[in-house]
Amino acid sequence: MDYKPQIIEDKWQRRWAEQNVNSLSDAELGSANRPFYNLMMFPYPSAEGLHVGNMYAFTGADIYGRWKRLLGETVFEPIGFDAFGIHSENFALKIGTHPMELIPSNIRNFTRQLTRIGAMYDWNHIVDTTDPSYYRWTQWLFLQLYKAGLAEKKEAAVNWCPSCHTVLANEQVIAGACERCGTIVEQRNLSQWFFTITKYAQRLLDNLEWIDWSGTTKKAQENWIGRSEGAEIWFEVESPWEPTAGSDAADAVAEAQAHHHEAGEDDEYEQKLQISVFTTRPDTIFGATFLVLAPEHPVVEWITTDARRADVEQYRDRAGAMDLVTRKKTDKEKTGVFTGAYAVNPATGKPIEIWIADYVLMEYGTGAIMAVPGHDERDFEFATQFGLPIVRVIAGSGDTADSALSEAYADEGVLVNSGDFDGMASGEAIGAITSWLAEQDAAEPKVNFRLHDWCISRQRYWGPPIPIIYCDACGTVPVPEDQLPVVLPHVENYKPDESGVSPLAREESWYRVKCPECGGDARRETDVSDTFLDSAWYFLRYPSAKRDDVPFDAELTKKWLPVDMYIGGEEHAVLHLLYSRFITMVLHDLGIVPFEEPFATFRKHGLLIKEGSKMSKSRGNVVIPDQYIEEWGADTFRTYLMFLGPYQEGGDFRDQGLQGPFGFFSRLWDTVVPVAELGTAQPAGVIEQKMHATIAKVTDDIAGLRYNTAIAAMMEYLNALREGNRAVNRAEVEPLVVLAAPFAPHIAEELWELLGHSGSIFTGANWPSYDASKTIADTVEFVVQVNGKVRARMTMGRGITKEDAQAAALADDNVRRFVDGAQVRKVIFVPDRLLNLVVG
RNA sequence: GCGAAAGUGGCGGAACUGGUAGACGCGCGAGACUUAGGAUCUCGUGGGCGUGCCCGUGGGGGUUCGAGUCCCCCCUUUCGCACCA
């Protein structure tokens, strides 16, 4: 009887489904004593089907879950579909099938594939983000944030493809062009909904200290949040300058005045406009020889002089037409124009020119910088280009106050040309100058974050409608919670157009509604929300997937969350994983969930490559799991994926490699089948030690996700069992079947049954235990070195003394060749390992 | 540019707090069984020659009785962020 994986796998997959082996009933969910929530990142159900990358992630997570289950924990391992979003919609447009038909068929295909890979998913607790019973609660979530003042609508620059008539995400713009049609993308200002995640920046950063996540993932979040400390400094715009009464400019001045009055200033500052800048280097302020504003900075139109207005307008138009990706390219030449206006450097009291340039971004800091060309590379380049003054205010070692600058000196040093601060170290001067300016009410210490507010609105069709109604009388009105979901209507023409609004804005019968407050005529928000909002809370939904009265049941949430183990790709380090943390933190603050971090443990898995190169459709080297599973069986395929490299680092997929695990399972089969007839016996002496050591190693390796070495250890053990053609007994082989079960569940089930057990190995077996004292062999291979070089290896009893070892070593002919005639100066003895004789 | 990780046989990869480099597997070589099997089983497999030695973990220094592992400098690759002030 040969090993026939396809027959076995079919049998057990059928049985698991029929007997509900892998799903938890609601009663079990509610009563579990040792709940373990084992989560993997739910897939986007693409039309291409399950990718080997998905399977790699899922298999690694499934092994962990199955192992926990064999350890006696109640493991909840759900799966779902992240099916809304631009990818699905674009693909639907391309092939001309409506997403409402395409997605369900993709999901059916994924379900088939996910069953075939042999993961123990709880098919009774599926989540599909496009199901109204799910997105109803996504909309509910939006309303909670709205009510908490964390959702607001404001104008923002977005990428717009004039050919596809749509907004594009930054990732969809390749070298300034639309990824689909190649048209050059423009910037448009559209009114967008934002979640103010920036209010949580510091906490999101602080909690990274204690959550148990892969280090690289934490680092990526830390960089993305991008905290920088420095100062905000105010530069007065020089008179003569007067705002027109009632203008925005006048309001801005009034605001500045209020600020000064608050600070107890007298009226000296009346009628003055100030431009605030953020800098991490206030120590260089004496070298700030001009200001640069982002072209779209609101102050620009008020301060520009008549003589310069034409040039300024032209430059602003050009910058505005440029797409965001090209604009942010670092290697392009610096451009900019002078506004004609001057500001006063608060440190030197001297007037400096105010320029606009596209290298200054409105979205970071205050949208304006003090340019210090002597000590900032970009400012240096700009000043050189336009002949602006460059002053040295920091001296590095060997520099004097007058040393010429051939390039920006951005390092620390000693202050020069800085008035009373000359001679101070730059590090110290940061604080000293900030305080000095603060006394004059010209600056304050400031922490700035790179993180932006999360723009969640999309002018698209395939997403959950944002549950907001606009009423002329009442303004912005949230849809009452009892009227959720706002169902996404089936729209024939869901193609985005030139208008800059969602296709839903063409559905008058849908967007015309009565105001929930006054009953008057009103209009729905026609934008839908970002897919990342769907995935920012799905893990909360799984245990309560079947509830339609609440988004998540309080008791179940308390019992099962935070997620115990979350495994996923590093590509989501900053988006999904950050948004989920933010949403959870908000829900915590609103008293809705009792924890503020959603994932107690997160481990990233590595990336798979194929025969040394990246997998891609264009290379045609994408591994499709189905073919391999059909050929080799799911057990072999799963095990090979885990064997080809360290799980957290990824590895190189080579077709020939499948032979290894397949041979292992064939030999395991050949070894166990004859044993099934025999009774239980004690493991043989030599085998017993190896068995305990193997159980210890496999257990430890799985816990650390070192699956490749766990598999190697099982192979070694099987090789030891088969060595010398001895009779193998049941006590030697049964633990191995259980060790292999997380990796190869089907063959493990079959062998378990052949060994005379009834029911599933996952409910019937216990993870084998080991006796630590039995993991150690009685003899060791002992090494003798002379001057650090190995001269002999000898088998010794464990615990041999230094004296005995030395005597044995000196009795060895080869050792003697190197020792005789020389003086032994030193003897190094490492118990049970080696003896090093230092001679000379 | 900033941040992170990694460079080990023909290949994928092992190697605990410094202590036998190359576990396990692929591939390859020889043999056994036998004859269309992607088999199975035994033995071998880092390189070099003088067959017990020499050389070997990206390169160069250093610490040490002993370095893949620790320290310094350099090179290369991959990934993330990037005109972030």
Side-chain angles (χ1 to χ4, degrees):
Chain A
M1 180 166 66
D2 285 345
Y3 170 48
K4 291 275 186 324
Q6 288 78 6
I7 294 169
I8 295 170
E9 292 179 5
D10 189 60
K11 167 182 165 182
W12 286 97
Q13 283 171 9
R14 218 178 281 272
R15 196 174 290 183
W16 291 335
E18 284 163 8
Q19 300 180 0
N20 264 328
V21 174
N22 299 325
S23 28
L24 296 174
S25 66
D26 288 346
E28 287 168 319
L29 275 175
S31 66
N33 287 324
R34 295 170 64 195
F36 189 90
Y37 190 167
N38 190 50
L39 185 69
M40 50 210 85
M41 288 180 177
F42 66 166
Y44 145 64
S46 72
E48 288 86 14
L50 190 74
H51 183 269
V52 72
N54 294 325
M55 185 168 164
Y56 185 66
F58 297 162
T59 302
D62 185 59
I63 288 166
Y64 199 83
R66 287 184 180 274
W67 172 63
K68 281 285 180 184
R69 186 167 176 191
L70 284 162
L71 284 170
E73 307 196 19
T74 302
V75 177
F76 180 48
E77 186 172 301
I79 192 76
F81 304 99
D82 188 16
F84 265 139
I86 292 181
H87 277 105
S88 311
E89 193 182 309
N90 282 355
F91 189 80
L93 282 167
K94 193 169 139 194
I95 64 166
T97 305
H98 197 281
M100 282 185 180
E101 291 160 33
L102 178 70
I103 292 300
S105 103
N106 287 355
I107 287 179
R108 279 193 296 278
N109 187 39
F110 260 72
T111 303
R112 177 189 62 78
Q113 290 180 300
L114 288 168
T115 304
R116 191 63 192 89
I117 67 174
M120 55 163 204
Y121 297 124
D122 185 333
W123 290 105
N124 287 338
H125 291 87
I126 291 292
V127 156
D128 166 6
T129 57
T130 65
D131 191 320
S133 69
Y134 179 82
Y135 70 69
R136 165 184 184 183
W137 302 113
T138 306
Q139 292 169 335
W140 170 87
L141 187 62
F142 175 93
L143 294 178
Q144 307 314 305
L145 274 94
Y146 179 77
K147 287 173 193 164
L150 294 166
E152 59 187 44
K153 203 169 195 196
K154 59 189 182 193
E155 285 246 316
V158 291
N159 292 303
W160 176 262
C161 173
S163 162
C164 300
H165 308 308
T166 181
V167 165
L168 298 175
N170 268 348
E171 308 80 65
Q172 295 176 301
V173 182
I174 313 293
C178 170
E179 69 163 351
R180 268 205 293 161
C181 67
T183 311
I184 297 296
V185 168
E186 333 173 320
Q187 251 188 83
R188 275 204 186 180
N189 281 311
L190 294 174
S191 190
Q192 309 277 344
W193 279 98
F194 286 87
F195 282 170
T196 51
I197 189 171
T198 49
K199 288 183 183 166
Y200 282 74
Q202 189 63 52
R203 265 169 81 192
L204 288 166
L205 191 63
D206 290 344
N207 282 9
L208 290 175
E209 302 256 330
W210 60 265
I211 55 178
D212 175 24
W213 282 29
S214 291
T216 50
T217 311
K218 288 209 240 186
K219 197 77 202 169
Q221 290 212 348
E222 189 186 317
N223 291 341
W224 183 263
I225 295 169
R227 183 183 198 273
S228 37
E229 273 180 46
E232 190 167 338
I233 302 176
W234 295 284
F235 286 71
E236 278 172 20
V237 176
E238 266 222 317
S239 41
W241 181 83
E242 285 198 17
T244 317
S247 66
D248 286 352
D251 293 345
V253 172
E255 210 174 289
Q257 284 167 358
H259 175 84
H260 286 290
H261 285 135
E262 230 170 83
E265 293 289 322
D266 53 27
D267 290 345
E268 199 183 318
Y269 286 89
E270 302 282 335
Q271 296 295 313
K272 296 221 166 147
L273 181 69
Q274 295 189 320
I275 291 170
S276 94
V277 305
F278 172 73
T279 179
T280 52
R281 293 294 302 272
D283 55 317
T284 63
I285 189 158
F286 285 87
T289 52
F290 56 102
L291 290 188
V292 186
L293 309 189
E296 52 280 75
H297 198 294
V299 165
V300 174
E301 62 185 271
W302 314 331
I303 61 171
T304 302
T305 58
D306 292 343
R308 303 290 308 144
R309 189 162 296 275
D311 283 356
V312 167
E313 291 299 330
Q314 194 193 354
Y315 187 81
R316 296 183 91 187
D317 289 348
R318 227 180 64 203
M322 203 181 304
D323 69 278
L324 295 169
V325 176
T326 313
R327 160 119 182 231
K328 291 182 187 176
K329 274 241 152 63
T330 54
D331 50 2
K332 73 183 200 323
E333 217 176 59
K334 294 273 177 295
T335 58
V337 294
F338 178 41
T339 61
Y342 291 82
V344 178
N345 179 324
T348 62
K350 287 183 188 152
I352 56 177
E353 295 183 359
I354 305 175
W355 285 62
I356 61 171
D358 66 4
Y359 81 94
V360 175
L361 308 172
M362 196 61 215
E363 69 202 43
Y364 185 76
T366 61
I369 61 155
M370 62 175 210
V372 183
H375 307 285
D376 180 280
E377 212 181 298
R378 296 151 301 172
D379 297 344
F380 184 89
E381 200 189 320
F382 192 82
T384 308
Q385 184 124 358
F386 295 103
L388 291 158
I390 300 171
V391 176
R392 177 189 281 278
V393 290
I394 305 286
S397 59
D399 293 325
T400 68
D402 305 319
S403 301
L405 285 152
S406 58
E407 57 178 3
Y409 176 76
D411 291 341
E412 307 230 314
V414 173
L415 268 66
V416 293
N417 300 321
S418 297
D420 294 345
F421 295 93
D422 281 357
M424 192 181 272
S426 48
E428 196 190 334
I430 289 175
I433 291 187
T434 305
S435 311
W436 174 64
L437 291 172
E439 281 164 28
Q440 305 160 56
D441 203 28
E444 66 181 28
K446 168 102 186 190
V447 173
N448 205 49
F449 293 95
R450 211 190 70 94
L451 182 70
H452 294 134
D453 281 335
W454 173 15
C455 175
I456 60 119
S457 47
R458 297 288 180 273
Q459 293 73 42
R460 285 297 203 125
Y461 168 69
W462 193 234
I466 292 174
I468 287 288
I469 289 168
Y470 301 105
C471 166
D472 287 340
C474 312
T476 302
V477 180
V479 172
E481 287 179 21
D482 59 10
Q483 289 175 29
L484 297 178
V486 177
V487 176
L488 179 69
H490 188 288
V491 168
E492 272 312 314
N493 176 13
Y494 57 93
K495 199 178 171 185
D497 68 17
E498 205 175 2
S499 59
V501 292
S502 160
L504 291 174
R506 298 190 293 253
E507 297 298 305
E508 200 178 339
S509 61
W510 180 78
Y511 69 68
R512 275 188 182 281
V513 283
K514 295 294 176 200
C515 171
E517 278 179 15
C518 69
D521 285 345
R523 183 190 165 92
R524 286 191 189 283
E525 168 64 64
T526 52
D527 282 359
V528 299
S529 60
D530 182 7
T531 341
F532 280 109
L533 182 57
D534 304 327
S535 58
W537 76 280
Y538 77 108
F539 48 90
L540 289 165
R541 180 65 181 166
Y542 276 135
S544 313
K546 288 187 282 192
R547 294 285 294 271
D548 48 16
D549 52 337
V550 285
F552 34 87
D553 177 81
E555 286 304 310
L556 286 179
T557 302
K558 202 172 148 200
K559 189 181 247 321
W560 288 93
L561 283 116
V563 169
D564 294 288
M565 177 57 116
Y566 195 23
I567 289 179
E570 178 91 297
E571 69 275 17
H572 291 114
V574 289
L575 298 171
H576 161 62
L577 286 171
L578 192 67
Y579 296 148
S580 300
R581 293 183 58 216
F582 163 65
I583 291 294
T584 305
M585 230 173 247
V586 170
L587 291 173
H588 170 264
D589 291 355
L590 296 176
I592 298 172
V593 300
F595 44 86
E596 58 177 86
E597 286 292 338
F599 314 123
T601 301
F602 171 76
R603 291 289 177 274
K604 63 129 197 182
H605 64 254
L607 200 71
L608 273 189
I609 56 171
K610 176 79 196 295
E611 318 268 340
S613 41
K614 238 184 209 174
M615 281 187 223
S616 68
K617 271 190 237 168
S618 55
R619 275 200 185 84
N621 63 350
V622 176
V623 172
I624 310 293
D626 295 31
Q627 302 163 1
Y628 288 87
I629 291 173
E630 203 175 310
E631 219 172 323
W632 297 93
D635 285 338
T636 291
F637 194 55
R638 286 166 60 101
T639 305
Y640 175 61
L641 288 177
M642 298 301 111
F643 184 58
L644 54 70
Y647 185 59
Q648 293 181 80
E649 281 157 47
D652 193 354
F653 187 100
R654 285 167 191 263
D655 289 356
Q656 283 181 329
L658 276 300
Q659 188 58 243
F662 183 80
F664 170 64
F665 291 125
S666 300
R667 286 189 290 277
L668 180 65
W669 180 265
D670 291 346
T671 308
V672 176
V673 169
V675 166
E677 311 298 321
L678 304 172
T680 308
Q682 286 301 306
V686 236
I687 295 301
E688 188 182 33
Q689 181 271 322
K690 186 82 184 161
M691 185 176 94
H692 284 269
T694 303
I695 295 169
K697 173 141 183 74
V698 172
T699 305
D700 193 50
D701 281 352
I702 293 179
L705 307 182
R706 291 182 298 273
Y707 297 140
N708 54 335
T709 49
I711 295 163
M714 290 188 280
M715 288 171 165
E716 269 187 78
Y717 179 60
L718 183 63
N719 290 346
L721 285 181
R722 291 168 63 86
E723 201 176 309
N725 215 12
R726 52 180 284 282
V728 174
N729 71 49
R730 170 190 288 262
E732 295 166 346
V733 94
E734 201 167 284
L736 179 59
V737 171
V738 183
L739 293 182
F743 298 87
H746 313 86
I747 188 177
E749 291 276 26
E750 185 69 16
L751 292 175
W752 183 251
E753 194 175 69
L754 280 169
L755 286 167
H757 302 282
S758 61
S760 169
I761 188 171
F762 294 97
T763 51
N766 291 316
W767 188 252
S769 56
Y770 61 92
D771 180 341
S773 67
K774 289 183 179 163
T775 61
I776 311 159
D778 313 337
T779 57
V780 289
E781 213 194 339
F782 196 84
V783 168
V784 181
Q785 297 181 332
V786 179
N787 286 345
K789 291 194 187 282
V790 179
R791 297 304 176 190
R793 291 154 211 240
M794 36 187 75
T795 303
M796 301 282 203
R798 177 167 291 279
I800 186 170
T801 62
K802 183 177 179 181
E803 289 68 30
D804 290 352
Q806 191 165 346
L810 290 170
D812 184 275
D813 289 346
N814 200 43
V815 172
R816 284 251 285 281
R817 286 181 32 199
F818 292 90
V819 175
D820 283 355
Q823 171 106 36
V824 176
R825 296 184 186 281
K826 200 173 171 185
V827 178
I828 311 279
F829 176 70
V830 181
D832 295 330
R833 281 199 174 239
L834 66 72
L835 187 78
N836 186 12
L837 302 167
V838 184
V839 303

